[in-house]
Amino acid sequence: QNHYSVLWHNNVPVDIISTKDDLSPYTLIIDPMHFMMDREFMDKIEKYVSLGGNIVGTYMTGIVDKHYLAYLGGWPEKLQKIYGLSYVETDTLYPKQTNTVQWERERFTVLNYADIFDLKEARPLAHYEDDFYAKSPALTENNFGSGTAMMIAGRTGNAFLNKFYNKLLDKFSLRDSESPLENIDANLNVQVRQDENKTYYFITNYSDSDQIAVFKDNYTNILSGNSLNGSTTFAPYQVVVVTED
């Protein structure tokens, strides 16, 4: 949910998909804490990344198969190949224990789980600062085929995820340039749905006070039929569905 929250606050539409779905339409796949992973899905993400897709994996991934049996011989070779890493072990932290990740001269807290990896082909972007695995990689990137596989090795807070995903949104041009609003407000969320003919924008004021939205052009509120343009006041918790005129 913390991973999704960053995208939601940036008004980036997200599809929730299953391991059976086609991955090819997506620029970025976020696959957090995929503890139970079968070999069929490993084959699928290998093909997806090699053909130009980008995936984010995290700690506690690929530990058991679909029968909840641990993979013998360690972390599956397929995942080692995709992520460019060799899994060593997981440090499970007590509730009051933390570690620290240093990334680009900033420090971020790690809670609960910290996976320890050895580098193979992957490039380290950040490292742990404390305990027996200090200096080991905490964030990595691996160029695999035409795509990229990134690994977040420990459970971090929102500050780390905000920085990480905002970088990816810019890198992969995932911000919605077609948003109907001029202003970006933390209290106003815009989600997009489409059919064969139109694009529908669901705009919600998630605060308990009035919020001002500034529309780029002329839009129609399909719930009321009213025209919306320029500066418009949204009442607390108001939801509006609009289409461009």
Side-chain angles (χ1 to χ4, degrees):
Q1 187 172 341
N2 289 339
H3 295 254
Y4 172 74
S5 176
V6 180
L7 304 176
W8 187 88
H9 281 293
N10 280 277
N11 297 326
V12 176
V14 174
D15 289 343
I16 308 299
I17 61 175
S18 81
T19 57
K20 304 301 181 185
D21 288 319
D22 180 14
L23 305 182
S24 62
Y26 299 99
T27 301
L28 177 65
I29 299 292
I30 301 171
D31 189 30
M33 207 171 178
H34 196 151
F35 184 76
M36 181 187 292
M37 183 186 295
D38 60 32
R39 293 190 184 276
E40 289 79 5
F41 188 68
M42 294 179 201
D43 292 338
K44 181 177 284 191
I45 60 175
E46 179 186 38
K47 180 180 179 181
Y48 165 74
V49 177
S50 67
L51 293 177
N54 305 283
I55 191 167
V56 175
T58 75
Y59 52 92
M60 301 291 283
T61 282
I63 305 301
V64 301
D65 64 17
K66 61 185 177 182
H67 304 293
Y68 212 80
L69 298 174
Y71 284 107
L72 298 180
W75 210 38
E77 287 287 339
K78 187 84 67 172
L79 293 179
Q80 295 186 45
K81 182 179 173 184
I82 295 167
Y83 287 102
L85 296 167
S86 175
Y87 171 77
V88 179
E89 62 178 299
T90 299
D91 185 18
T92 303
L93 303 172
Y94 287 109
K96 293 184 179 180
Q97 280 186 308
T98 61
N99 203 320
T100 305
V101 167
Q102 185 177 52
W103 181 24
E104 297 178 341
R105 298 182 180 180
E106 291 186 81
R107 287 177 170 82
F108 302 92
T109 300
V110 174
L111 310 163
N112 304 131
Y113 303 108
D115 274 7
I116 304 162
F117 291 99
D118 286 335
L119 294 170
K120 297 178 79 174
E121 295 82 15
R123 179 169 68 96
L125 303 178
H127 63 266
Y128 295 113
E129 285 201 319
D130 304 319
D131 220 314
F132 64 93
Y133 48 98
K135 302 300 181 184
S136 66
L139 175 65
T140 63
E141 179 180 70
N142 187 45
N143 295 324
F144 181 74
S146 299
T148 307
M150 292 151 281
M151 174 60 69
I152 302 173
R155 175 174 284 176
T156 65
N158 289 333
F160 178 95
L161 296 176
N162 283 332
K163 177 176 178 174
F164 176 71
Y165 284 115
N166 273 287
K167 281 178 173 288
L168 294 191
L169 294 181
D170 293 333
K171 179 179 180 179
F172 300 126
S173 301
L174 293 175
R175 299 185 193 276
D176 185 9
S177 61
E178 298 181 1
S179 171
L181 302 183
E182 292 280 4
N183 57 322
I184 297 176
D185 190 310
N187 295 308
L188 291 174
N189 181 258
V190 181
Q191 294 296 314
V192 183
R193 296 294 182 269
Q194 296 171 308
D195 62 18
E196 295 80 3
N197 302 311
K198 288 188 177 183
T199 300
Y200 300 87
Y201 300 96
F202 293 72
I203 307 171
T204 306
N205 176 9
Y206 277 90
S207 76
D208 58 2
S209 60
D210 289 349
Q211 299 295 323
I212 304 298
V214 181
F215 284 89
K216 295 178 180 178
D217 211 329
N218 295 320
Y219 292 84
T220 297
N221 180 347
I222 66 172
L223 301 179
S224 67
N226 294 334
S227 180
L228 298 172
N229 57 68
S231 181
T232 302
T233 300
F234 277 64
Y237 307 111
Q238 182 178 3
V239 180
V240 171
V241 184
V242 304
T243 58
E244 189 170 7
D245 292 345

